[in-house]
Amino acid sequence: MNGKVIKVSGPLVVAEGLSDANVSDVVRVGKQRLIGEILNMTDDRASIQVYEETSGLGPGAEVETTGYPLSVELGPGMLDGIFDGIQRPLTEIRKLTGATITRGIDVPALSREKLWDFVPTVSAGDRVSVGDVIGTVQETSAILHKIMVPFGISGTVVSIQKGNYTVADTVCLVKGDDGASHELTLMQKWPVRKNRPYIKKHVPTRPLNSGQRVIDTLFPLAKGGTAAVPGPFGSGKTVVQHQLAKWSDVDVVVYIGCGERGNEMTDVLMEFPELKDPRSGEPLMKRTVLIANTSDMPVAAREASIYTGITIAEYFRDMGYDVAVIADSTSRWAEALREMSGRLEEMPGEEGYPAYLASRLAQFYERAGVVECLGSGGRQGSLTAIGAVSPPGGDTSEPVSQATMRIVKVFWGLDSGLAYARHFPAINWLTSYSLYVDGLKKWFDSEIGVKFMQNREKSLSILQEEASLQEIVKLVGQDALSSADRLTLETAKMIREDFLQQNAFVDVDSYSSYERQSTLLQIILDFDTLCRNAMNQSANLLRLVNIPVRERIGRAKMVPEDEYREAYKRIFEDIKNQIDEISAGGDEK
């Protein structure tokens, strides 16, 4: 059905004569067939969000509706791919048009030429229903792509054959329960604004191992959980997100560059193909999907990119994989919402953001979780959502930060003071929190040891005590403190500098396993305990905190991975011997 444009306001186009169209339908606008999506309808008049530059478009231009909602193509070919916010394959477009995207270009998200080796897992005569795996494709060396029965289809397999197929070829014929015949391909489509269904959602009980000590030990995130990384410009949000994408123990990573600066997205596009997956040794891109939007792209495309990314992630979750969605940043996405809301002349909420901002954020984060997938086989998958927030000036009292904090259960608050002091990751241990700690305690106690959580509590207590003591030091100086309090300051400094501080650009320190984190923290806390015991026997504090092995504790995180167990054991023995030696001599020595 065709209509006519009557108004153009930036990315918002108003057209009339579309009485049979529906909200969320995709439309083509003007001679260049620009891609748009209907936001709302009033009689036969539609307000359309156009995902491309609208310059040159004017009243009278034709609008053609496709009759379908904005959807993504789900099938082999997504991994190792780079797409824009509406799932156009940027690599393919570059081959066709060069460095700039031609407006109105229509390239399918998944290649229609590439052949995939399909291996059936069901036979003719078998009964299948929604979510059942009918076959597999080895999409990359890291991921086995499971071809599932699309939503709304159940019946008996009439024919299925092994072979090489494109995503559009029929690989299986199913006679439905309604008597109709269904041709199944390697690809299915799904509307991005609709959650993919599942049988049941479970409470997350396993942690996401990121290899970042401040995250894994102090503020852990559960697989299937939600987290926010707010912080001002230059505080290291992007580096934290890159580290999570590189090192998290998930099967698939969907990285959404949602309106960030072009140079940051370029870093991702240049760096990720070069990175090696620490688990398999293969390139990291073999299990990564990149959605690349930059701040100079049309605002409307940013708004769609979040939904495109999480729908792709849900699809891999439904195969039974652990998936992480990393959105950088939701503030830019909220700005796109604000602009479109303003152009629609809706009643603004706080700071001009739409009144439904919190609701839209909640719709995004609620798609995370650990779920029992549709289909036979008892598959369970998880989707973890991590969003960066870029509050102006680092002021987390602004609406996007506040709405996010009410929704997510992990808050990694980045601190510009720590960043300027070159302390990275600059996650402030006094303002950050994790609400998953109680739920993960059972896993940590059984897999890592009971002391892990005990040491976590003790470390946080020492860091909080340090903050209180620093207030006293500012007033009366460190000499006014007792020996026990001065030791607390020394231990807190060791926790901060020798444990929490981590260098993302040094291979040996970029990633730290749970066992290594636990052992390193234990060494620091054992040093504190042994010093306190020695001080009870009148040992001199200055000599205790300056024992020769102290320098080796500071360098312990740089010990090569295959040597750290033996090195840490020797460090602990030397701490004990050197403190015992001072303790035996008391103040005389």
Side-chain angles (χ1 to χ4, degrees), residues 126-130 149 152-158 174-182:
D126 288 353
R127 178 162 180 77
V128 294
S129 59
V130 179
V149 177
I153 296 176
S154 62
T156 306
V157 176
V158 176
V174 174
K175 185 174 184 182
D177 294 335
D178 56 357
S181 231
H182 301 281

Side-chain angles (χ1 to χ4, degrees), residues 204-213 215-217 219-227 240-241 243-245 247-253 279 287 322-326 382-386 410 412 434 436 440 443-444 511-512 514 517:
T205 55
R206 294 177 299 148
L208 183 84
N209 181 9
S210 67
Q212 311 309 299
R213 291 184 288 268
I215 291 174
D216 291 346
T217 300
F219 310 109
L221 169 63
K223 280 185 183 176
T226 54
V240 168
Q241 299 225 67
Q243 288 294 91
L244 290 166
W247 301 110
S248 294
D249 63 335
V250 292
D251 301 303
V252 177
V253 174
R279 295 187 296 172
R287 60 182 183 93
D322 293 320
V323 189
V325 171
I326 297 173
S382 73
L383 197 167
T384 308
I386 302 161
V410 175
W412 296 317
S434 170
Y436 291 114
L440 298 176
W443 188 93
F444 280 122
Y511 173 86
S512 187
Y514 277 127
Q517 292 181 44

